[in-house]
Amino acid sequence: MKRKLLSAALTLLSLSSNIFAVEIPECEVRGVKPTDKISTFEFNPSLTVFDDKAGISETAMTLKYYYSFNKIFSIGTEVPVKRFESPDNSKNGIGDILVSASALKKEEKLSFGTTWEFYLPSAKYDELGTGKWQFSPAVFAEYEIVPQVFFALGYKHYVSIAGPSSRNDINKGRIRTMAAYISDYNWWLLFDPKYYMDYENNSDEFIIEIETGIMLFDEISMYLKPGWHAGGSNKTMDWSLSFGVKLLSI
């Protein structure tokens, strides 16, 4: 696991040095706020370490496409290709595919949105997915304090609606807060804590993620997002590291 972390860190350092070695043109930061309704295609490689001491982890490449019809309605899908690793087992394949639809009511300062998501049990192996059809509705509000700073709060519920009885039922909620600073010079910093409540097993978990990103060009951005387990009676992971490249307005 330490070699994997070192390799990821060296790769990210190499990417950073290559990017900042050239002059990046000034461009508007887009695609950071939940209310940014633009069409995007994203490459999102990630590493999630479930148990660092036991050597149990998952790497994934998730392809995400979101299409905005206008400033109000959008649809999207996310397709993860995963590899699960443990000392005595490894599996490769597609994880659970996500499809979604969302609507937004945008005001000058305070905006509201709702999202309806469905998870399809497309994973072939138990280690790569839940095995359940899931419905996941969400609501959120976003407040722009000043043009460079916003705060958002949302609740999302996950519930399994079908699937084999041999797999665990899902009934949990997530409270998510976001606070971000968007610089006038192409970059942003986002604080993204999440609190999960597992109603099925009467447990909870607090996860913190911090995202930093930069606009490379008017239509391309990238970000780096580390995360870690910060508390709670449940522990689904030790830490995670996610990297993304977004193509905007495609």
Side-chain angles (χ1 to χ4, degrees), residues 9 13 30 47 78 85 124 149 169 172 183 194 201 245:
L13 286 172
R30 296 180 297 149
L47 167 65
E78 299 184 8
E85 291 186 70
K124 180 179 178 181
V149 179
D169 290 333
K172 63 181 181 180
S183 170
K194 303 177 179 72
N201 299 294
V245 176

Side-chain angles (χ1 to χ4, degrees), residues 47-58:
L47 167 65
T48 302
V49 177
F50 303 120
D51 190 328
D52 211 341
K53 292 182 179 179
I56 303 174
S57 66
E58 177 184 272

Side-chain angles (χ1 to χ4, degrees), residues 166-197:
S166 58
R167 302 301 300 274
N168 294 331
D169 290 333
I170 298 167
N171 181 22
K172 63 181 181 180
R174 184 194 73 186
I175 297 174
R176 181 182 185 183
T177 58
M178 300 171 67
Y181 172 75
I182 299 175
S183 170
D184 294 329
Y185 300 97
N186 299 1
W187 60 271
W188 70 90
L189 182 64
L190 174 67
F191 182 60
D192 189 8
K194 303 177 179 72
Y195 180 65
Y196 292 87
M197 299 154 287

